[in-house]
Short mmCIF file of all heavy atoms in Angstrom, two decimals:
data_model
loop_
_atom_site.label_atom_id
_atom_site.label_comp_id
_atom_site.label_asym_id
_atom_site.label_seq_id
_atom_site.Cartn_x
_atom_site.Cartn_y
_atom_site.Cartn_z
N THR A 457 -16.56 -12.13 -13.27
CA THR A 457 -15.11 -11.95 -13.30
C THR A 457 -14.64 -11.38 -11.96
O THR A 457 -15.19 -10.40 -11.46
CB THR A 457 -14.70 -10.99 -14.42
OG1 THR A 457 -15.10 -11.56 -15.68
CG2 THR A 457 -13.19 -10.77 -14.43
N CYS A 458 -13.61 -12.01 -11.41
CA CYS A 458 -13.01 -11.57 -10.15
C CYS A 458 -11.61 -11.03 -10.42
O CYS A 458 -10.86 -11.58 -11.25
CB CYS A 458 -12.94 -12.73 -9.16
SG CYS A 458 -12.32 -12.26 -7.53
N ILE A 459 -11.27 -9.96 -9.72
CA ILE A 459 -9.94 -9.34 -9.86
C ILE A 459 -9.18 -9.51 -8.54
O ILE A 459 -9.70 -9.16 -7.48
CB ILE A 459 -10.06 -7.85 -10.21
CG1 ILE A 459 -10.70 -7.67 -11.60
CG2 ILE A 459 -8.69 -7.17 -10.18
CD1 ILE A 459 -11.02 -6.23 -11.93
N TRP A 460 -7.96 -10.02 -8.64
CA TRP A 460 -7.07 -10.10 -7.48
C TRP A 460 -6.08 -8.94 -7.58
O TRP A 460 -5.42 -8.76 -8.60
CB TRP A 460 -6.33 -11.43 -7.45
CG TRP A 460 -7.20 -12.57 -7.02
CD1 TRP A 460 -7.38 -13.05 -5.76
CD2 TRP A 460 -8.02 -13.39 -7.86
NE1 TRP A 460 -8.26 -14.09 -5.74
CE2 TRP A 460 -8.68 -14.33 -7.03
CE3 TRP A 460 -8.28 -13.40 -9.23
CZ2 TRP A 460 -9.56 -15.27 -7.52
CZ3 TRP A 460 -9.17 -14.35 -9.73
CH2 TRP A 460 -9.79 -15.27 -8.88
N ASP A 461 -5.98 -8.17 -6.52
CA ASP A 461 -5.21 -6.94 -6.60
C ASP A 461 -4.49 -6.67 -5.27
O ASP A 461 -4.76 -7.32 -4.25
CB ASP A 461 -6.13 -5.76 -6.94
CG ASP A 461 -5.40 -4.58 -7.54
OD1 ASP A 461 -4.17 -4.66 -7.73
OD2 ASP A 461 -6.06 -3.56 -7.82
N ARG A 462 -3.59 -5.71 -5.30
CA ARG A 462 -2.91 -5.22 -4.09
C ARG A 462 -2.38 -3.83 -4.39
O ARG A 462 -2.30 -3.40 -5.55
CB ARG A 462 -1.78 -6.15 -3.66
CG ARG A 462 -0.66 -6.26 -4.67
CD ARG A 462 0.36 -7.30 -4.26
NE ARG A 462 1.27 -7.63 -5.36
CZ ARG A 462 2.11 -8.65 -5.34
NH1 ARG A 462 2.16 -9.46 -4.30
NH2 ARG A 462 2.90 -8.89 -6.38
N ILE A 463 -2.01 -3.13 -3.34
CA ILE A 463 -1.46 -1.78 -3.47
C ILE A 463 0.06 -1.87 -3.45
O ILE A 463 0.64 -2.58 -2.61
CB ILE A 463 -1.99 -0.87 -2.35
CG1 ILE A 463 -3.49 -0.66 -2.55
CG2 ILE A 463 -1.25 0.46 -2.33
CD1 ILE A 463 -4.19 -0.02 -1.40
N VAL A 464 0.70 -1.19 -4.38
CA VAL A 464 2.15 -1.24 -4.50
C VAL A 464 2.75 0.13 -4.21
O VAL A 464 2.29 1.14 -4.74
CB VAL A 464 2.58 -1.69 -5.92
CG1 VAL A 464 4.09 -1.80 -6.02
CG2 VAL A 464 1.95 -3.04 -6.25
N ILE A 465 3.78 0.14 -3.37
CA ILE A 465 4.53 1.36 -3.09
C ILE A 465 5.64 1.42 -4.13
O ILE A 465 6.57 0.61 -4.12
CB ILE A 465 5.13 1.35 -1.67
CG1 ILE A 465 4.07 0.91 -0.64
CG2 ILE A 465 5.69 2.72 -1.33
CD1 ILE A 465 2.82 1.73 -0.63
N VAL A 466 5.55 2.38 -5.06
CA VAL A 466 6.42 2.38 -6.23
C VAL A 466 7.56 3.40 -6.14
O VAL A 466 8.53 3.30 -6.88
CB VAL A 466 5.62 2.63 -7.52
CG1 VAL A 466 4.67 1.46 -7.78
CG2 VAL A 466 4.84 3.93 -7.44
N ASP A 467 7.44 4.39 -5.27
CA ASP A 467 8.49 5.42 -5.19
C ASP A 467 8.43 6.07 -3.81
O ASP A 467 7.39 6.05 -3.15
CB ASP A 467 8.27 6.47 -6.28
CG ASP A 467 9.52 7.30 -6.55
OD1 ASP A 467 10.59 6.99 -5.95
OD2 ASP A 467 9.45 8.26 -7.33
N GLY A 468 9.56 6.64 -3.41
CA GLY A 468 9.60 7.29 -2.11
C GLY A 468 10.95 7.92 -1.85
O GLY A 468 11.93 7.67 -2.56
N GLY A 469 11.01 8.74 -0.82
CA GLY A 469 12.26 9.40 -0.47
C GLY A 469 12.10 10.25 0.77
O GLY A 469 11.04 10.31 1.39
N VAL A 470 13.20 10.94 1.13
CA VAL A 470 13.21 11.84 2.28
C VAL A 470 13.76 13.19 1.85
O VAL A 470 14.51 13.28 0.88
CB VAL A 470 14.05 11.27 3.44
CG1 VAL A 470 13.43 9.99 3.98
CG2 VAL A 470 15.49 10.99 2.99
N SER A 471 13.37 14.24 2.56
CA SER A 471 13.86 15.58 2.22
C SER A 471 15.36 15.69 2.46
O SER A 471 16.08 16.34 1.70
CB SER A 471 13.11 16.63 3.04
OG SER A 471 13.14 16.32 4.42
N ARG A 472 15.86 15.06 3.54
CA ARG A 472 17.30 14.98 3.83
C ARG A 472 17.59 13.69 4.57
O ARG A 472 16.84 13.31 5.46
CB ARG A 472 17.76 16.16 4.71
CG ARG A 472 17.94 17.47 3.98
CD ARG A 472 18.68 18.45 4.88
NE ARG A 472 18.83 19.75 4.26
CZ ARG A 472 17.99 20.77 4.41
NH1 ARG A 472 16.93 20.62 5.17
NH2 ARG A 472 18.19 21.93 3.81
N GLU A 473 18.69 13.04 4.20
CA GLU A 473 19.08 11.83 4.93
C GLU A 473 19.80 12.19 6.22
O GLU A 473 19.72 11.44 7.20
CB GLU A 473 19.97 10.95 4.05
CG GLU A 473 19.24 10.36 2.85
CD GLU A 473 20.12 9.44 2.04
OE1 GLU A 473 21.34 9.37 2.34
OE2 GLU A 473 19.61 8.78 1.12
N VAL A 474 20.52 13.31 6.22
CA VAL A 474 21.21 13.79 7.43
C VAL A 474 20.83 15.25 7.62
O VAL A 474 20.93 16.06 6.69
CB VAL A 474 22.75 13.67 7.30
CG1 VAL A 474 23.42 14.19 8.57
CG2 VAL A 474 23.15 12.22 7.04
N THR A 475 20.37 15.58 8.81
CA THR A 475 19.91 16.93 9.08
C THR A 475 20.31 17.34 10.49
O THR A 475 20.94 16.57 11.22
CB THR A 475 18.38 17.02 8.91
OG1 THR A 475 17.97 18.38 9.02
CG2 THR A 475 17.66 16.17 9.94
N SER A 476 19.94 18.55 10.89
CA SER A 476 20.31 19.08 12.20
C SER A 476 19.18 18.88 13.20
O SER A 476 18.00 18.88 12.84
CB SER A 476 20.63 20.58 12.10
OG SER A 476 21.72 20.79 11.24
N VAL A 477 19.56 18.72 14.44
CA VAL A 477 18.58 18.58 15.52
C VAL A 477 17.64 19.79 15.51
O VAL A 477 18.07 20.93 15.37
CB VAL A 477 19.31 18.47 16.87
CG1 VAL A 477 18.32 18.61 18.02
CG2 VAL A 477 20.05 17.15 16.97
N GLY A 478 16.35 19.52 15.66
CA GLY A 478 15.36 20.60 15.69
C GLY A 478 14.76 20.93 14.35
O GLY A 478 13.79 21.69 14.28
N LYS A 479 15.29 20.38 13.26
CA LYS A 479 14.76 20.67 11.94
C LYS A 479 13.68 19.65 11.55
O LYS A 479 13.82 18.47 11.81
CB LYS A 479 15.86 20.68 10.88
CG LYS A 479 16.73 21.93 10.92
CD LYS A 479 17.61 22.01 9.69
CE LYS A 479 18.37 23.34 9.66
NZ LYS A 479 19.21 23.46 8.45
N THR A 480 12.64 20.14 10.90
CA THR A 480 11.54 19.29 10.45
C THR A 480 11.85 18.76 9.05
O THR A 480 12.18 19.53 8.15
CB THR A 480 10.22 20.07 10.42
OG1 THR A 480 9.93 20.54 11.75
CG2 THR A 480 9.08 19.18 9.95
N GLU A 481 11.73 17.45 8.88
CA GLU A 481 11.99 16.82 7.60
C GLU A 481 10.75 16.06 7.12
O GLU A 481 9.82 15.82 7.89
CB GLU A 481 13.19 15.87 7.69
CG GLU A 481 14.48 16.54 8.15
CD GLU A 481 14.97 17.63 7.20
OE1 GLU A 481 14.55 17.62 6.02
OE2 GLU A 481 15.77 18.47 7.64
N THR A 482 10.77 15.69 5.85
CA THR A 482 9.60 15.07 5.22
C THR A 482 9.96 13.71 4.62
O THR A 482 11.00 13.57 3.97
CB THR A 482 9.03 15.97 4.11
OG1 THR A 482 8.66 17.23 4.68
CG2 THR A 482 7.81 15.33 3.47
#
Side-chain angles (χ1 to χ4, degrees):
T457 299
C458 184
I459 295 172
W460 285 268
D461 201 1
R462 63 186 167 192
I463 293 168
V464 182
I465 314 303
V466 294
D467 198 6
V470 295
S471 52
R472 282 193 183 93
E473 293 183 353
V474 180
T475 187
S476 299
V477 169
K479 284 192 174 182
T480 300
E481 302 298 340
T482 301

